[in-house]
Amino acid sequence: MTELVATTPGLYPLPDWAKDELSDLKGHQKGDLIAGDEGPEIVDAYDRTRAEVVDAQVDAGLDSVVEGQLRWDDMLAHPLTIHENVETGGIVRYYDNNNFYRDPQVRGELTPSGDVAAELEAVDADALQAVLPGPYSLADLATDEHYGDEADFLDAVADYLAGEIEAFPDHETLFLLEPSLVENPPDDDTNERASAAIDHVAEATDADVVAHTYWGAVPEKTYAHLMDADVDAIGFDFVTETEDALYNINEYGTKEQVALGLVDGGNTLVESPETIRDRVEWVDENTHTDFDRAYVTSNTELFYLPVNKFEDKLQALGDAAALAEVDA
């Protein structure tokens, strides 16, 4: 019987009160975004928003609780944009949507900063789930002005993320978000290295590691290499590209655990718990794999949503897992 774990891939929307308060404290310009050295008033505001979204997850009945990444002004690029050896350049589009981030230009050695670890230390909840960009996506979002070679840069980013993880507090799960495997997949020469980089980051923790992919399905050659990475689960976007996601599982197999992106993180229409459960059952009926555990989640980060819809989707995910447990 498959264990269902209700969770999310993090990156939450800021509550409206926090937007107003932080706008007054931080300002409105590019240079006013988080740089890792915020003062006590800003730290306090983020502490209160963190507590609010952690409580929202617990109240919704989610099984794994994330920090929320509310400080991540630059979305997945955040761990680099706050690094002392990284300068931020111009504003660039965050994949194919209407969000933008500061171009992290790496100009020196990437050494662990402890920034994400400090965020996790501040979470007061059981079943902590850490969230990081995957090494391939983080390297893809950045500009290398130091290492001078794509392969060396990818390895350096993987080393950097592994070093960050070594400072993490106890956590049960780590989600590595890898949308670039879909949006800008590795070429033939890079596929194996991208998989090895994920493998290297996963080795840094004893927690279960999920390589979560979204905004479509990973091309099959890249997927075949991704299967070589020693992660516990691969995440699939069953909102954007159902058939190709299903094809990868049935053609190449998958891990004994799986992450099912069944709730649309970019659409305000709230799925009912029954709809989510039906989608879980549909995946089960249409794949040839018996999963030990299925992470039931949104396909993408949730920061695109208004706060009320975000909270409704948390509740739907929690209720969907509870419904399935009752049926079992």
Side-chain angles (χ1 to χ4, degrees), residues 34-74:
I34 284 294
D37 57 354
E38 52 268 34
E41 290 182 315
I42 296 175
V43 170
D44 176 68
Y46 279 116
D47 283 346
R48 284 180 280 126
T49 58
R50 180 184 298 111
E52 186 169 312
V53 299
V54 167
D55 287 346
Q57 294 170 81
V58 173
D59 291 345
L62 266 62
D63 299 296
S64 291
V65 172
V66 301
E67 188 270 336
Q69 295 75 50
L70 297 155
R71 290 173 62 245
W72 293 24
D73 288 332
D74 298 285

Side-chain angles (χ1 to χ4, degrees), residues 170-318:
D170 289 342
H171 52 288
E172 293 191 358
T173 320
L174 169 65
F175 260 52
L176 291 176
L177 307 185
E178 283 284 19
S180 289
L181 290 179
V182 175
E183 290 283 344
N184 186 24
D187 58 27
D188 289 347
D189 295 332
T190 311
N191 267 317
E192 184 175 355
R193 185 174 293 277
S195 175
I198 294 169
D199 192 60
H200 178 53
V201 176
E203 288 176 348
T205 179
D206 293 328
D208 286 346
V209 178
V210 180
H212 189 51
T213 65
Y214 46 91
W215 289 325
V218 178
E220 56 185 305
K221 184 174 291 187
T222 298
Y223 181 79
H225 281 280
L226 180 58
M227 278 293 292
D228 291 335
D230 189 16
V231 296
D232 297 280
I234 294 173
F236 299 88
D237 182 349
F238 280 103
V239 174
T240 306
E241 189 55 77
T242 300
E243 293 302 323
D244 286 350
L246 202 62
Y247 173 82
N248 280 339
I249 293 174
N250 286 333
E251 184 68 17
Y252 297 99
T254 192
K255 306 293 183 178
E256 294 180 349
Q257 301 181 24
V258 67
L260 305 175
L262 302 171
V263 166
D264 193 341
N267 191 309
T268 57
L269 180 64
V270 179
E271 298 84 351
S272 71
E274 291 78 11
T275 296
I276 298 169
R277 188 186 65 182
D278 287 346
R279 291 175 181 176
V280 172
E281 292 173 355
W282 184 88
V283 173
D284 182 56
E285 292 169 357
N286 286 277
T287 55
H288 311 312
T289 303
D290 293 325
F291 302 111
D292 291 341
R293 172 182 291 178
Y295 295 92
V296 181
T297 184
S298 58
N299 60 335
T300 70
E301 313 105 316
L302 293 169
F303 73 89
Y304 305 97
L305 300 172
V307 171
N308 62 334
K309 299 298 182 183
F310 150 72
E311 292 174 341
D312 288 346
K313 296 215 178 200
L314 290 186
Q315 191 64 58
L317 284 165

